[in-house]
Amino acid sequence: MPLNHNDQLHIIRDLLQDHYTDCAGSPSECAQIERLAAHLLENGEVHEEVRNILSNINEYSHTGFSHHHLDEHISSNRPYLESWINTIQTHHPY
């Protein structure tokens, strides 16, 4: 069964929450976030405010995938992570 846009957003939110909480992550998580964000940017059912942040999430993930010090990249983006998590949760709650 394919995942709908809400399922995909929940996966992104959960992964971003893990990055925010742990200040750690993996390149494979970044790659998954990037793929989902890129796909969701094209989905008209995603709330406009969420679509506005998806390009930033995509860029964060793309940079994180190849960053030599991923934990530092995550730490330096914590304020953005918190904002993105809150925006997704506000417009696409569980």
Side-chain angles (χ1 to χ4, degrees):
M1 170 183 356
L3 299 174
N4 67 32
H5 71 281
N6 281 317
D7 297 331
Q8 294 170 345
L9 283 166
H10 292 155
I11 291 169
I12 289 175
R13 192 193 74 80
D14 288 347
L15 289 170
L16 293 177
Q17 183 68 51
D18 288 346
H19 285 199
Y20 179 79
T21 302
D22 302 338
C23 284
S26 69
S28 63
E29 289 172 344
C30 290
Q32 183 177 16
I33 294 168
E34 182 181 11
R35 283 190 307 272
L36 290 169
H39 178 73
L40 287 167
L41 277 166
E42 300 172 8
N43 188 324
E45 295 181 54
V46 175
H47 192 279
E48 182 178 346
E49 285 189 45
V50 174
R51 283 203 345 248
N52 289 340
I53 64 167
L54 284 171
S55 59
N56 295 329
I57 293 170
N58 188 310
E59 182 179 327
Y60 159 81
S61 301
H62 179 77
T63 302
F65 177 76
S66 59
H67 203 282
H68 294 302
H69 303 286
L70 180 55
D71 295 351
E72 289 176 17
H73 173 68
I74 292 169
S75 292
S76 67
N77 281 281
R78 278 191 94 222
Y80 301 111
L81 292 170
E82 183 177 29
S83 174
W84 299 335
I85 292 163
N86 290 336
T87 299
I88 293 170
Q89 183 62 35
T90 298
H91 298 290
H92 292 276
Y94 283 86

